[in-house]
Amino acid sequence: MIFLKANIELKHTFERLIQTMEVPVKWNELFVVLNNFLILPGEVRSLVFNFDNRKVNTNVIEIPIVEEAIQPIDKNVLVTNVLDMILYAFGKWGTIKGIRVDKDYAQLNALFTEILKEIKVEPGYRNDNFRFYQEGIQITYEDVVQAALEAGEKSEEELEAELEEEKLGLWHNMKWVITKTSFQKEEPDQVAQESERIGNNFYMVGYQCPNCGKNLHMVVYPVDKEFLVETEEGRVYLARAYACDACNRFYTPRPGKLLSEGDVYLLDFGEDRDAYEDYQELLGAQGEKTSNYKFNEYEWERNKKKSKEEPEEEVEEAEEESLEEAAATREEAEEENPEKEPEHVIEREREQEEKELKKENSKGRKCKKEIYEKDTSGGNTKGKVLGVSKEETSKISKRDLQQSEEAQYSKIPKEEKSQKEKQIEEAVEAETNGEVKGATPEDKEAEKVRQKYEARMKVIERMSPRQLKELREKVKVEKLLPEADKQEYVQKIENYIQKNQKEELEKRAENGKRGNYAQLCRSIEEIERTDIPAEMKEPILAPLYELRNKKAQEEAEALIANMPANMDRKRYKLFRDKLAQYKEADIAPYEKKLEEQRKRAESQEIATMMNRVNKNDRGAIFHIWKTLQSPDFSKENTEKPLQELHDRLEKLDEAAIDKICPNLTSMTFEEGQKAYEKIEKGMFLPEIKSNALEMIDKRLTKIKSDESELLVQKLKGEFTEKLKDTSSLHYYAARQAMRGEWEGAEAAIVNCALKTYASEHSRYEFPVVVCDSTHKGTGREGFLLTPDHLYYNSTFSSECIPVLNIKDISFSTGLLNKGVYIQQKNGEKTKIPVGVPSKEWKEFTRILGEFIKYLQEKPESRKVSYLAKEEHEVKCCYRCGYVYKGGDVCPKCGSRANR
């Protein structure tokens, strides 16, 4: 079972066929070939063609469609023709309603033979069935379709390989190389800028290409959206790039350089225009009509700057968090075992904290200095820590307090440090823990955690969105915080997060309002994708939606207003696609205007094409004819030009064929063969080519059929008169076979011999007699005689012997060498199988031998090359073979049939 997907041609053909037949079939555009059935499956009922009984009917058939097994027909002409044979075959039988075929069976057989000769399949089309044969063996229609698929596969693969090679072109190393050159600058005028635009966001600038002197075109990328490329020095972000449309080159300055300095990167595509245009489209896709103050920049340089330019607030908060956590860890350790901590651990902590202290800002250093001065002046009193009152201490962050403490270690003598440490620790504990007297250790720990988060809540406005989210997650999982405090902290954090998000959305909305329609749509999409509550987004989005509708209408109107007067199909498509982007606008009136403009432009384009084409240039006419059949052109504009072009082609083809065979009746066989091949391979309209080939084929076929019929009459009369048993001898009915009317057992035996062991016979070599040697009368063994060859087939051997090589025919009735033998002129003796009884071999071999000698004596006038020519300057008598000039009467035999 073969599954085929119809191409456009077959789809239209068979859809019209179904409509003409008026059958209830909703075809799914598939062909299913099974044995001698062609099925057009439908949703409910299917259309079935049966080659065995000529019937065409509809039926409910469940066919399991295997998607993986479906083969597309595409441009396989041979498969298309094999499927189109259905229309001729069943149309001639009259089983397809609405189709009439005027050709007779012989003409249709000739047509089918031409179609199938490429796959070496011979048709047997008759008024009751349609058979197919390959090497004399009957095959099914499914086998024919499979052979056609395989034959067309190779040519399609070769064509695809050639097309693919053409598409890929040359390979290129897409690494920009360093070069030094100089760029002249001359500002282009307005006319040049408009007429030499290359599109893709490139616009002409004053710099000129150092290679060809043409003005360059520049593309610019928005800030922080630069285009990343590979260079000899690594990856580089391009703020701008320059293209030379004349020599297929791209330039861009090296990082930190200007183009005018001449120190640039170069990417040269040479003669590969396709590669240049593809890359130009890629570069321009991300460019915009904007400005960029930056130089080109190395990727590693940008990454380094990003790491150094982290926002100051985030750095401060991160440092604050790390210092707080370190201090809290140390305090916890001191509380658990204040006397057992090793001295070297304390020293290491001090050194680490001193390093952190050096990174503090000026404010922190000022606070530390004041604390130290008050403390060293001896102003410590109750309620003060290192000279700072409790009220002042509450204003200093825990970070400043701890770092101030460490600042004093380097100023205070070593013997006094232990006392100062105790004072600091007491002050810190009093500030962070609140000196909860009588509380349990768990309560103290919980209070300390609460105080820590209270301190962070005080600086919540300075936190980044990332820090806020991290803090929220920490609060949610903190086990020492009461649930009420957790909810309070989380709610406060959520409020700040939503506040920040709302401000960000409002900023995006303002940016979108200032942009064009496309930028506004991007802003709306970005806002819609955010995960903030809908009630917050709706007030921001509502005015944007209204503005989007307004901008869409305005830009669509402006687009049509600026539409050029002369528009080709490519530009029309660009305008149509651009107009389709404005989904919120009522673009129906604009589409109508655009379509009207397209029709006018298309009519003008077709008229220009028709005027420019040379009336005697068939190739150019045919190219335009095929181009106008493209669906890109409207039918109303192409109907009249197509008919005019077809008429021109028809006249040119008829003239060309007349030149190939000016007088068909006077052509020799060899001339006819050459003419046939030229016409078959030539570029002609199908109907003209078919008619010319048919005329040549019809003349040659008739000549040889008539000859075969005369030879059959001669041999059959002699055998019938001299032999008693002629049941194994079967004669070819040439005239009936040519009309497709030859049937019965006689025809089956002769056709079987032709399709099996005599399958190598030439097109115009018709049989005279078949001697069947099989017991069942199948025709598979025996011999077949034509005017040119004797073909035979036995159990052990099969051969073709030219008639001119036969010297004699003899027989033997001995016990060991019984049989009929052919003695060839080269001395070889061959035994041939015969079905005639041995008692009649004497007369049989005599008559057959004499007939072969008669064939060998056939004059030049009986050869196809002579018969194909109706008029001769030097004549050879049809009757006796005498050669003479002048007159229609043979000087030797008096025959008047010579011309």
Side-chain angles (χ1 to χ4, degrees), residues 334-503:
E334 290 175 353
E335 281 186 359
E336 292 175 2
N337 199 357
E339 297 181 358
K340 291 184 179 181
E341 184 174 7
E343 192 67 23
H344 69 277
V345 175
I346 297 174
E347 288 296 327
R348 186 163 60 250
E349 291 177 355
R350 288 173 183 170
E351 290 175 2
Q352 181 66 24
E353 291 174 353
E354 283 176 2
K355 290 180 181 178
E356 295 291 338
L357 178 64
K358 292 178 182 180
K359 298 180 181 178
E360 282 302 313
N361 56 30
S362 59
K363 180 181 176 181
R365 288 195 297 271
K366 184 176 179 181
C367 291
K368 296 170 193 174
K369 185 175 179 182
E370 291 175 357
I371 294 170
Y372 177 74
E373 288 175 351
K374 290 182 180 181
D375 181 66
T376 53
S377 64
N380 290 345
T381 59
K382 188 176 180 180
K384 289 187 176 182
V385 180
L386 299 179
V388 182
S389 65
K390 190 171 184 179
E391 291 76 16
E392 291 171 334
T393 304
S394 64
K395 295 179 182 179
I396 301 173
S397 67
K398 186 176 180 182
R399 178 196 65 193
D400 293 333
L401 186 60
Q402 291 171 339
Q403 292 171 348
S404 299
E405 172 192 354
E406 298 304 325
Q408 295 197 80
Y409 280 122
S410 60
K411 302 287 185 179
I412 300 174
K414 187 175 182 180
E415 59 271 12
E416 297 179 9
K417 284 186 178 180
S418 61
Q419 182 64 24
K420 294 295 181 182
E421 286 175 5
K422 291 180 181 179
Q423 292 177 2
I424 292 170
E425 289 171 2
E426 289 174 0
V428 172
E429 287 185 14
E431 179 67 22
T432 58
N433 297 334
E435 289 291 343
V436 182
K437 295 183 179 180
T440 63
E442 291 78 5
D443 294 339
K444 289 182 179 182
E445 186 68 22
E447 181 62 22
K448 185 166 65 175
V449 170
R450 190 186 67 79
Q451 290 292 340
K452 181 177 73 172
Y453 283 108
E454 281 290 344
R456 294 188 180 181
M457 289 298 114
K458 292 177 182 179
V459 295
I460 193 172
E461 293 182 356
R462 296 161 55 192
M463 293 185 180
S464 66
R466 177 183 60 79
Q467 291 173 324
L468 287 171
K469 291 178 181 179
E470 291 177 355
L471 180 60
R472 180 181 60 188
E473 297 305 317
K474 287 181 180 180
V475 171
K476 288 181 179 180
V477 299
E478 184 60 67
K479 296 181 180 179
L480 296 177
L481 277 177
E483 192 64 31
D485 290 346
K486 276 188 182 182
Q487 293 179 0
E488 180 183 352
Y489 293 152
V490 169
Q491 185 61 42
K492 187 175 182 181
I493 295 169
E494 289 284 357
N495 291 339
Y496 274 102
I497 290 175
Q498 293 182 1
K499 179 182 176 184
N500 291 341
Q501 289 179 332
K502 185 176 181 181
E503 291 175 355

Side-chain angles (χ1 to χ4, degrees), residues 618-868:
R618 188 194 185 282
I621 296 174
F622 184 79
H623 175 71
I624 296 176
W625 186 59
K626 294 298 290 185
T627 301
L628 294 183
Q629 293 180 35
S630 167
D632 293 340
F633 291 95
S634 61
K635 188 176 180 180
E636 58 182 334
N637 285 337
T638 59
E639 186 174 1
K640 186 176 179 181
L642 281 174
Q643 185 60 45
E644 182 180 343
L645 291 170
H646 184 274
D647 293 342
R648 290 188 193 178
L649 288 172
E650 196 171 42
K651 290 181 181 179
L652 290 173
D653 289 351
E654 287 175 352
I657 290 176
D658 288 342
K659 190 174 180 180
I660 294 173
C661 44
N663 189 354
L664 182 62
T665 59
S666 64
M667 294 179 68
T668 65
F669 183 76
E670 288 77 8
E671 290 171 344
Q673 285 285 76
K674 289 179 181 179
Y676 193 97
E677 292 176 1
K678 282 184 180 180
I679 295 172
E680 186 178 36
K681 296 178 181 178
M683 292 292 294
F684 300 102
L685 291 174
E687 59 271 22
I688 295 179
K689 178 188 286 190
S690 176
N691 290 338
L693 294 177
E694 185 179 352
M695 288 173 63
I696 297 173
D697 177 72
K698 190 173 182 179
R699 170 167 169 74
L700 298 178
T701 301
K702 186 177 185 305
I703 290 172
K704 296 302 290 183
S705 295
D706 291 345
E707 180 188 77
S708 175
E709 189 173 22
L710 293 172
L711 291 173
V712 166
Q713 292 175 2
K714 175 178 175 60
L715 184 60
K716 185 177 181 181
E718 293 184 8
F719 276 145
T720 304
E721 182 180 350
K722 301 296 181 182
L723 301 181
K724 295 180 179 179
D725 186 357
T726 59
S727 60
S728 62
L729 299 176
H730 308 280
Y731 306 95
Y732 185 67
R735 192 175 296 278
Q736 294 180 29
M738 187 175 66
R739 292 197 298 260
E741 300 173 354
W742 192 32
E743 301 175 357
E746 188 101 342
I749 292 172
V750 174
N751 285 329
C752 180
L754 284 170
K755 307 306 179 185
T756 53
Y757 59 86
S759 59
E760 295 182 0
H761 71 283
S762 64
R763 181 185 184 120
Y764 302 106
E765 183 182 5
F766 299 121
V768 177
V769 66
V770 172
C771 182
D772 183 21
S773 64
T774 61
H775 296 293
K776 296 182 179 180
T778 60
R780 291 185 174 275
E781 291 185 4
F783 73 84
L784 180 147
L785 180 65
T786 73
D788 301 314
H789 298 89
L790 186 145
Y791 303 88
Y792 76 91
N793 181 45
S794 64
T795 306
F796 303 105
S797 63
S798 180
E799 191 179 353
C800 170
I801 304 174
V803 168
L804 293 176
N805 290 350
I806 299 175
K807 183 179 180 180
D808 188 24
I809 296 180
S810 60
F811 69 96
S812 175
T813 56
L815 183 62
L816 298 178
N817 57 353
K818 184 178 180 180
V820 175
Y821 294 87
I822 289 180
Q823 183 74 34
Q824 299 187 46
K825 293 179 180 180
N826 60 4
E828 185 177 349
K829 191 175 182 179
T830 306
K831 181 180 179 180
I832 62 172
V834 295
V836 178
S838 58
K839 61 183 179 180
E840 299 198 63
W841 282 357
K842 183 178 180 180
E843 285 297 318
F844 174 76
T845 55
R846 181 186 64 80
I847 296 171
L848 184 60
E850 290 177 355
F851 184 76
I852 289 177
K853 286 181 180 180
Y854 172 78
L855 294 177
Q856 292 173 343
E857 294 170 356
K858 182 173 63 175
E860 182 70 21
S861 59
R862 294 295 178 137
K863 293 184 179 179
V864 174
S865 58
Y866 187 88
L867 290 170

Side-chain angles (χ1 to χ4, degrees), residues 109-123:
N109 264 311
L111 175 64
F112 298 156
T113 301
E114 281 300 312
I115 294 173
L116 301 175
K117 71 177 182 179
E118 185 177 342
I119 54 177
K120 297 182 179 179
V121 173
E122 296 187 12

